[in-house]
Amino acid sequence: AATEREYMRQMSRVEQEIYKQIEKGMHHLKMMQVEEADSCFSKVFELKPAAYLWQAGICKFYLSQKKKQNKAALQDAAQIFVQSAMHFESRFEMPATEERIWRSACELKALSSITSKQERKRVEKEGILALNIKQIPLRLIDISDGSNGTNGNKMTTEEQAFLNSESRKVLKIARQLFDASIQKDHIGTILSRAKLRSISGQYSFINNDEDDIFRPVLDKKMWKL
């Protein structure tokens, strides 16, 4: 507590306000008070537009389910996740897996919300640009052929290796699942789901006289992977 007070004294008034609003927002988010958290995080961006605060995107994502103009909320959420991912990866040279998963969730949510056949055809023709959902740019990686590591929207092996350097196995596979879902890679989707199922455990069926019971059988050693 003493260290925190000393830290606060060294801050400017603006920095103190940012710190307070982030703390309040995080508390509201933990309590599932999404609108209150969103209000706090919005104040942070007013004071510091480039703030690294991907949790604000989570608020926008869930608010999109409540508000009538859910497209705008999803677009705002995606923008926050993209901004946060670029900030994290450029600073730490590590994949921003959580931000990438949530951004993909925004795209899938936007796709699933399309109801008219005409709109769906337009999206299929124009791609993600029709949804106005921001994408995380491919990282610029120097490779032997002199290119910058990007090839349109196609991911290079260097880019893929960077994303797969995520050490948290569950998050890495979850990101692969979302990517495969967006790319309509059915085999990749099945494989990712199978891997996650292996980690989390299958369910054994127990039939007794009173009730049917499903109990998880965890693969604690993860030998199937």
Side-chain angles (χ1 to χ4, degrees):
T3 304
E4 183 177 354
R5 286 195 298 269
E6 180 62 28
Y7 178 67
M8 290 286 288
R9 280 197 294 269
Q10 294 177 3
M11 291 181 176
S12 66
R13 290 186 178 180
V14 173
E15 291 172 334
Q16 289 179 9
E17 184 62 22
I18 291 173
Y19 178 83
K20 290 178 181 178
Q21 292 300 329
I22 290 177
E23 288 293 301
K24 287 176 60 179
M26 292 296 188
H27 173 74
H28 286 307
L29 187 57
K30 288 179 181 178
M31 300 299 293
M32 295 302 295
Q33 298 168 342
V34 182
E35 292 184 359
E36 291 83 352
D38 179 63
S39 177
C40 293
F41 294 149
S42 295
K43 292 177 181 177
V44 173
F45 285 121
E46 289 176 5
L47 296 171
K48 187 178 180 181
Y52 173 69
L53 191 58
W54 63 273
Q55 293 86 349
I58 297 177
C59 295
K60 298 291 186 185
F61 180 88
Y62 284 112
L63 285 175
S64 71
Q65 302 181 43
K66 296 182 178 181
K67 296 180 178 180
K68 293 182 179 180
Q69 296 179 341
N70 59 348
K71 287 185 178 180
L74 273 178
Q75 292 164 3
D76 291 342
Q79 176 61 43
I80 291 172
F81 293 131
V82 169
Q83 175 180 307
S84 298
M86 293 175 63
H87 176 89
F88 182 89
E89 292 179 355
S90 63
R91 182 171 182 179
F92 299 105
E93 287 295 317
M94 296 171 60
T97 305
E98 290 96 331
E99 291 89 332
R100 287 178 174 273
I101 290 173
W102 278 103
R103 194 226 66 89
S104 296
C106 291
E107 182 174 344
L108 292 171
K109 177 71 174 176
L111 288 170
S112 66
S113 65
I114 298 175
T115 55
S116 67
K117 292 183 179 180
Q118 183 178 0
E119 180 68 12
R120 188 169 292 278
K121 287 182 179 179
R122 185 176 75 88
V123 171
E124 290 177 354
K125 181 180 180 180
E126 299 179 14
I128 191 175
L129 293 176
L131 298 173
N132 200 22
I133 297 293
K134 297 293 185 180
Q135 284 185 299
I136 300 174
L138 296 179
R139 300 169 71 251
L140 299 180
I141 305 172
D142 293 328
I143 53 181
S144 57
D145 63 4
S147 68
N148 62 6
T150 63
N151 181 18
N153 291 325
K154 294 183 179 179
M155 191 177 297
T156 64
T157 54
E158 287 81 4
E159 178 78 8
Q160 191 66 54
F162 169 74
L163 295 180
N164 288 334
S165 66
E166 170 62 67
S167 60
R168 296 166 296 179
K169 184 176 290 185
V170 171
L171 286 177
K172 179 173 70 174
I173 299 173
R175 194 267 309 160
Q176 293 171 344
L177 173 61
F178 274 85
D179 287 351
S181 299
I182 288 175
Q183 297 163 9
K184 297 182 179 180
D185 178 3
H186 301 299
I187 295 177
T189 301
I190 293 171
L191 287 174
S192 297
R193 292 183 65 181
K195 290 177 181 179
L196 290 172
R197 181 69 177 272
S198 176
I199 293 175
S200 61
Q202 298 181 354
Y203 283 81
S204 63
F205 175 73
I206 301 175
N207 188 299
N208 56 29
D209 296 336
E210 297 180 357
D211 198 4
D212 295 334
I213 302 174
F214 289 88
R215 292 180 178 175
V217 180
L218 297 179
D219 181 17
K220 294 182 179 180
K221 294 185 179 180
M222 303 181 191
W223 62 272
K224 293 181 181 179
L225 295 180

